[in-house]
Amino acid sequence: MESSIALNRDIFTRALHVLPGGVSSPIRSWKELPLSPFVPARGKGAQLVDIEGKIYIDYCMSFGALILGHAHPKPSLAAAGALMRGSTYGLTTATEVQLAEFIVKHTFCEQVRFVSSGTEALSTIIRIARGVTKRPLVVKFEGNYHGHIDALLLEAGSYASELTATPSAGITRSSVCDTIALPYNDEEAACRVFSSPELASRIALVLIEPVAGNMGVVPAKLSFLEYLRKQTRTIGALLCFDEVISGFRVHPQGASGLYGVIPDLVAYGKIVGGGFPAACVGGSKTIMEELAPLGEVFQAGTLSGNPVALAAGAATLQEIFQPGTYEKLEAKTAFLLDPIERILQDTPHSLVRVGSMFSLFFYEKYPRKKPAFLPKSRTAFAQFFQELLQEGIYFSPALTESQFVSMAHTEQDLLKTRDVLIEALSRLDV
C-alpha cells in the first residue's frame, strides 16, 4: 500500500524539480491544502482515475470546460479525425466557419474571432474597445478574473487573489493606471465613476463576469447588469460580458440569454473548445470588423481557430444543443443540491448555484460581492475537501473556484456525492 501511495507523491516531487511549483497553472498546486495533488491517468464520463488506480467523481471538470464529461465519444472522435487530417494549416477551415455559424445562430453575436484562450480573448477585447472608442480606461469589478493580463489582475479572483503582491510581481504601475476596479454588484460605487465627467469621458470598456466563477459562484444582480447596460450607452463606452466560464453553461445563450441583457462584446471559452485550448470574441459586425484585416485593431495567432480544437468544440456544442440537454443538467444539479440547500439554511454556511455551476461558502451567507474568505472559512474548506477526496469525490481545489455538474454525472454519482456532502458538512463547526 505504501508504494501505491508514494506513486502520486513521487510524480509530483519530480514535477517540483522541472516545473515551477510543480505545475503549469498555479491553482493545480493545491497550495491552500495540506496535501499534494493526485496525478490523473485518465478520465471517462464523470470519473477521474489517478495513476494509483483510485477513482474520483469529478466536479471540477477541468474548471468547467467538460460539460459532457471526460472523453465523451463525439468531441473525442471529432478531434481525432481532425488530427488525422492535419493538426494546423495557418488557413481558415470549414470547421472554423461551421462553428462560427453555430455561435452566431445561437447567440447575439454577428461575428466571432477565434483565439486560443480566455486570456487572449479578453486581451483582444480591451484592444477592440480602445480602438473603437479612442479612450484608455477599463472598468472591471473586484473578484472577477479575466485571465492573467497585466491590466486585469487588479483586484482579481481565482488564484490571483491569493498572491501577496498586488496585483502581481512583474506588473508595473503603468500597466494598471488605466484600470478602475469597483465593488461587484455595487451600483452606488459605479455611479460615482459614471457620473464623473472627467472619468466617464475616458472609459472605453466596462468588463464584468455576469456570473462570477472565480470567487466562487456569485451572480450579478439583474438590476446591476441593466444599470451597466444603460450607463455604458449613455457615456459611449462598450460593455463586455466575460463568459469564458458561464458561456453555454448557465443557459444556451449564456448569461446574456439568462438575464436578457445584451452586451456589446462577449468572451466565450472552455466549452467552446470541447476540452481543447480555444476561445472566441464575439459582437456586432460593426464592432468586430474593426479587427484587422478590415480594421485597424491588430490581433493575430498562429494557432487561432485550430482545426482540432474547433472540431471538438463544434461536436460539443452540437451535442449540448440537443433538445432537453439543459433541462437534464438543471435536474441533475437540483437532485444533488436541493437537500444540501435545506440543510444549510440553519447554519452559517451557504450554497449558491446558477444553472449547473455551484459553490459552497463557509461562514458566509449568499455573497453578492467578493467574499471575505475568512481564516475559519479556509480551515473549513481544507477539512471539507480532504474528507470528500478520501471518499472519492473531487472538488475544485480552492475556495475561489466553482464546481460543475456535467451531463456525464449519473444518478448513482449524484446520490453518493450528496451522502458524502451531507456527512462532511455535519462535521463542520457551526
Side-chain angles (χ1 to χ4, degrees):
M1 185 66 177
E2 278 300 316
S3 61
S4 174
I5 291 173
L7 197 54
N8 275 317
R9 191 181 304 127
D10 288 350
I11 293 292
F12 193 68
T13 299
R14 287 166 53 193
L16 290 169
H17 291 291
V18 291
L19 300 169
V23 296
S24 294
S25 187
I27 196 69
R28 303 175 193 174
S29 67
W30 296 16
K31 189 176 180 181
E32 293 183 43
L33 301 166
L35 68 166
S36 295
F38 67 81
V39 178
R42 63 188 181 277
K44 183 65 177 175
Q47 295 184 341
L48 269 178
V49 183
D50 72 14
I51 58 172
E52 299 167 13
K54 183 169 182 179
I55 299 171
Y56 304 87
I57 303 171
D58 183 11
Y59 291 91
C60 175
M61 283 290 157
S62 195
F63 300 98
L66 301 175
I67 195 168
L68 296 177
H70 294 276
H72 188 280
K74 290 192 176 178
S76 298
L77 288 172
L83 180 59
M84 292 302 292
R85 293 188 294 271
S87 61
T88 181
Y89 308 112
L91 291 163
T92 300
T93 65
T95 302
E96 191 173 352
V97 176
Q98 175 194 2
L99 182 52
E101 288 173 339
F102 189 97
I103 294 169
V104 166
K105 178 180 177 181
H106 291 285
T107 70
F108 75 91
C109 301
E110 294 178 340
Q111 290 190 344
V112 298
R113 170 65 61 91
F114 289 110
V115 292
S116 297
S117 71
T119 293
E120 192 178 350
L122 271 300
S123 176
T124 301
I125 281 169
I126 292 176
R127 191 173 297 169
I128 292 171
R130 287 172 171 162
V132 167
T133 65
K134 313 302 181 187
R135 298 173 176 184
L137 298 184
V138 174
V139 174
K140 64 154 299 200
F141 297 93
E142 295 171 2
N144 284 198
Y145 177 70
H146 305 294
H148 62 270
I149 305 159
D150 285 9
L152 298 181
L153 274 182
L154 193 67
E155 297 292 345
S158 192
Y159 185 79
S161 63
E162 308 301 319
L163 297 173
T164 54
T166 304
S168 167
I171 294 180
T172 63
R173 183 173 298 178
S174 63
S175 298
V176 295
C177 68
D178 286 330
T179 305
I180 299 171
L182 298 175
Y184 193 68
N185 274 326
D186 190 332
E187 189 172 318
E188 185 178 336
C191 182
R192 287 195 292 270
V193 171
F194 296 141
S195 62
S196 165
E198 181 182 354
L199 290 175
S201 64
R202 299 173 63 227
I203 295 173
L205 180 69
V206 176
L207 174 60
I208 188 168
E209 279 188 283
V211 180
N214 288 286
M215 53 182 178
V217 176
V218 182
K221 294 182 288 188
L222 173 59
S223 60
F224 188 62
L225 294 177
E226 291 174 333
Y227 172 77
L228 296 180
R229 178 65 286 181
K230 179 181 178 181
Q231 291 301 311
T232 48
R233 285 179 174 148
T234 298
I235 67 173
L238 300 185
L239 176 65
C240 173
F241 283 0
D242 178 346
E243 296 219 50
V244 169
I245 295 176
S246 62
F248 305 107
R249 165 65 68 174
V250 300
H251 186 275
Q253 288 80 47
S256 62
L258 180 67
Y259 286 111
V261 178
I262 306 303
D264 298 295
L265 290 162
V266 67
Y268 296 127
K270 296 190 183 290
I271 290 170
V272 164
F276 286 80
C280 71
V281 177
S284 70
K285 185 176 181 181
T286 300
I287 292 175
M288 294 301 293
E289 288 188 346
E290 293 290 330
L291 284 166
L294 298 178
E296 296 182 354
V297 177
F298 183 77
Q299 179 276 332
T302 298
L303 295 179
S304 293
N306 178 264
V308 178
L310 296 198
T316 297
L317 289 183
Q318 287 165 2
E319 184 69 11
I320 63 176
F321 270 79
Q322 294 299 310
T325 297
Y326 283 90
E327 291 80 3
K328 290 175 186 175
L329 266 176
E330 291 276 356
K332 287 173 185 279
T333 307
F335 181 77
L336 172 65
L337 298 179
D338 281 354
I340 307 300
E341 287 186 316
R342 289 194 290 270
I343 288 169
L344 293 178
Q345 283 177 353
D346 298 322
T347 75
H349 317 301
S350 60
L351 185 149
V352 179
R353 58 176 167 168
V354 180
S356 55
M357 296 172 59
F358 71 95
S359 287
L360 284 159
F361 292 93
F362 300 98
Y363 302 99
E364 186 138 16
K365 279 293 187 183
Y366 312 110
R368 301 312 298 259
K369 61 180 182 179
K370 186 178 179 180
F373 296 133
L374 302 170
K376 62 181 179 180
S377 303
R378 297 176 183 278
T379 300
F381 173 76
Q383 174 189 331
F384 181 78
F385 179 89
Q386 289 180 86
E387 290 192 25
L388 264 59
L389 201 67
Q390 285 182 327
E391 296 298 326
I393 310 294
Y394 177 53
F395 268 28
S396 300
L399 268 173
T400 53
E401 301 299 327
S402 304
Q403 318 307 328
F404 302 91
V405 176
S406 78
M407 284 299 293
H409 285 95
T410 65
E411 183 174 324
Q412 184 179 356
D413 294 330
L414 299 170
L415 275 172
K416 176 181 176 178
T417 304
R418 191 168 75 187
D419 290 345
V420 171
L421 288 177
I422 290 170
E423 184 64 28
L425 288 168
S426 72
R427 287 194 283 271
L428 291 177
D429 294 331
V430 295

